[in-house]
Amino acid sequence: MNIEIKHLARMEGHANLVVDTLNGELKECRLEIVESPRFFEVMLKGRHYSDVAPIAARICGVCSVSHTLASLAATENALGVKVSAQAQGLRRLLSYGENLQSHLLHLYFMAVPDYLGVPSLLPLAKTRRDLVARALRLKKVANDLVRIVGGRPVHPVTPRVGGFSALPAAQDLKELRRRLVAALADLEETVAMFASFAVPEMARDTEYLSLAADQGYPGLGERMVSSDGIDAPVADFADILTEYFKPYANAKFARASRDTLMVGPLARFRNASDKLSPMAKKVAAVLRLDAATTNPYHGNLARLTEVVHFFEEAIHLIDTLLLKGIRAESIWVPPGGGRGAGAVEAPRGTLFHAYTYDADGRISAANCIIPTAQNLGNIEADLRALVPQLLHLPQEEITLQLEMLIRAYDPCISCSTHLVKVEYV
Amino acid sequence: MKPRVGFFDFTCCEGCQLTILNLEDEFLELLELVEIVEFREIMTGQAAALDIAFVEGSIASPEEAARLQRIRERSRTLVALGACADNAGVNALSHFCPPDELGRSAYGRVVEGIEQRLPRPLECFVQVDARVPGCPIDGQEFLGLLQALLVGRTPELPAYAVCVECKLGEYPCTFEHGTVCLGPVTRAGCNALCLAAGDRCRGCRGLVDNPRSQPYRQILEQHGLTVEDILAEFRIFNLPPEKS
């Protein structure tokens, strides 16, 4: 049997899946990355710190806020810039907005069609208009959150080194809060829908890595932790994460303590489920999501649990910001260089940027490790573990389950700055 | 029968397709007017023929060029969606990096002839019938272009610079803060969004039709810049014609 899927649909970027079996034995199983490399780390060289985050944002359209925030944190740590509590709060809010819009897009547009047995959500615009309208309503609140704080839903424009170049109006935040509360009914229906889906069974233990949860659920932070005992400053990430090539593969992979590593909603949930908001804890229980789960298909349930958490946290955070009052702040950036790293929890997992600046404030070296590079080895290991268990099924069913497994990671191939083709003539 | 529309992406961040999905309110109405037959990011399946193909991203390999050619052959109208498709976008920066370093960063070794594989705009490979500039595109501008195509009108882009929209918005001129801004030479249509957010213009929408004409030159001269200085800044989002 040979399964070959060119340009896997309903995911970010381009990848092929190749599965080859002979007499019930798995011969070949690989996820081929066919996207052209984009050389961001080289392109950033020589750029002034004020241009770095806007360029880094373009690594990914879906995670442009995360790239902006990781990039700014790396630059600020390199230059020795302190960011105010207000700016930190607004950045957290912005990060909630991006995680929400990405998670909701994934859950409704990429995952739901698998469970409803349709090729896409679009034909349902007529037959299940309630469902499609609800998906768009929820996504719109999330996007408006990013627009109000970041100036634009894709590639934000207000965050800058040291803080923000423009601040949201209190009135806009109040209106946003009202809409976040009003969206809770839609969330309830979403949770009920996902609770009714039959999630495929699978178990494979791996290392789960995320930022530390000292100050609540992992988001922005300076420490990283893992289920295998890693507890280290983000600045040391390059020593902890090993990037490597596989002899046959066309992508750069990354690992930490063992051969495979998982980042993203399920890893965050595993490491910090006790830090979830009260409503999110209830949702996890309704979805029968256990903090000890090793089923990668549970990625979507963790994603939905996080959606509820981010909604609830965003409401509280807006209250805190409004109570203190949004004030204009002066920003001072010291001249001169240095080295620094920054990390954020992007929708797909922990994202790292590290830069070295020269005395003129221009980059002399840049390094980025994106979540999908960390997950790729784990996706392949899951596929290898799963295929032998599915061989008794019809080929279409095998294909669907493998595609669903890959989608449960929500891999973001266009984000991958390191994806490589070995065949190069 | 409703016009059959497809969305395609090459070397890019998929932010322009995301901007279309972010049209939420108008997206359901859009589905009444056109039939979306291909959109890999959110649907499975391929279509035989298309009335309009919206193509995001730049072309960075012979395989991508061949795939683009096949899309061109089965589409009546082909639209370049966003800066990467239109001007090579932020990918343009790779053309000004040492080729050996690019090869090493991505492939772990020096790669022969890497210049031929650097990202280029669609029009270097196929005929482009219309374009939506910007990084990312503006959702409303996309709807305006689609409307023009649906009623058989030739889509038009603003022929004036971002500076005009900035003045209309009464935003402070970034030159006054000693920051270089590409507003004087960049095509308008974004409502000076970055200026409104307190940032500067980095030229993601490409050159206005006649950038050397007055009064842009005057503004630059007043601030001690030459047209060449500012065109060098343009490389962040735009590949100069001699490179493509």
Side-chain angles (χ1 to χ4, degrees), chain A residues 287-299:
Chain A
L287 296 172
R288 293 182 297 279
L289 187 60
D290 185 318
T293 177
T294 56
N295 181 353
Y297 287 103
H298 284 170

Side-chain angles (χ1 to χ4, degrees), chain A residues 7-14 35-40 42-43 45 47 50-51 54-55 58-62 101 105 109-110 119-120 122 125-126 129 132-133 136 139-140 143 151-155 157-158 165-166 245 252 407 414 418 420-422 424-425, chain B residues 2 9-15 18-19 21-22 24-25 27-28 31-32 36 40-44 60-61 63-64 67 90-91 93-94 97-98 101-103 105-109 111-112 114 117-119 135-136 193-194 196-200 202 233 236-237:
Chain A
H7 295 273
L8 277 158
R10 277 186 278 128
M11 59 179 263
E12 260 295 306
H14 297 251
E35 203 136 298
S36 296
R38 293 173 67 220
F39 315 114
F40 270 92
V42 186
M43 297 193 314
K45 273 196 187 173
R47 307 306 318 182
S50 60
D51 277 337
I55 294 173
R58 267 72 187 185
I59 292 173
C60 180
V62 187
Q101 72 83 17
L105 178 75
F109 283 85
M110 301 181 187
S120 96
L122 302 186
K126 279 212 156 50
R129 202 169 178 90
V132 180
L136 294 171
K139 212 164 73 60
K140 186 167 167 52
N143 275 321
R152 179 165 61 187
V154 177
H155 306 322
V157 280
T158 59
S165 60
F245 295 94
K252 214 168 180 180
R407 280 191 205 113
S414 44
H418 279 311
V420 187
K421 248 192 144 166
V422 161
Y424 201 84
V425 280
Chain B
K2 285 193 263 187
D9 54 90
F10 289 87
T11 297
C12 65
C13 77
E14 299 196 15
L18 188 65
T19 301
L21 289 173
N22 286 352
E24 287 104 9
D25 292 340
F27 194 73
L28 279 175
L31 294 179
E32 307 280 327
I36 298 180
R40 188 199 48 77
E41 199 178 347
I42 56 160
M43 65 194 281
T44 315
S61 71
E63 295 79 30
E64 289 192 344
R67 203 180 128 234
V90 77
N91 301 319
L93 276 174
S94 61
C97 298
E101 228 181 299
L102 292 177
S105 82
Y107 302 94
R109 60 190 165 88
V111 178
E112 295 284 320
I114 201 162
R117 287 181 170 249
L118 291 179
C135 180
L193 180 136
C194 297
D199 198 7
R200 67 193 188 90
R202 292 183 172 81
E233 281 284 311
I236 295 183
F237 282 106

Side-chain angles (χ1 to χ4, degrees), chain B residues 53-56 78-82 85-86 122 128-133 137:
Chain B
F54 288 100
V55 183
E56 180 182 355
L78 187 141
V79 182
L81 201 61
D86 190 19
L122 304 185
V128 173
D129 304 309
R131 56 212 183 91
V132 188
I137 58 161

Side-chain angles (χ1 to χ4, degrees), chain B residues 68-154:
Chain B
L68 175 67
Q69 191 64 47
R70 291 196 295 275
I71 293 167
R72 174 71 269 189
E73 280 159 15
R74 59 196 171 100
S75 307
R76 214 157 45 86
T77 302
L78 187 141
V79 182
L81 201 61
C84 292
D86 190 19
N87 286 325
V90 77
N91 301 319
L93 276 174
S94 61
H95 288 256
F96 306 98
C97 298
D100 286 0
E101 228 181 299
L102 292 177
R104 268 203 205 92
S105 82
Y107 302 94
R109 60 190 165 88
V110 175
V111 178
E112 295 284 320
I114 201 162
E115 293 93 337
Q116 277 82 51
R117 287 181 170 249
L118 291 179
R120 289 177 165 78
L122 304 185
E123 65 178 7
C124 294
F125 302 89
V126 296
Q127 187 201 320
V128 173
D129 304 309
R131 56 212 183 91
V132 188
C135 180
I137 58 161
D138 179 275
Q140 295 306 315
E141 190 172 30
F142 163 79
L143 288 176
L145 171 122
L146 181 63
Q147 189 181 31
L149 291 177
L150 292 181
V151 300
R153 193 158 46 77
T154 308

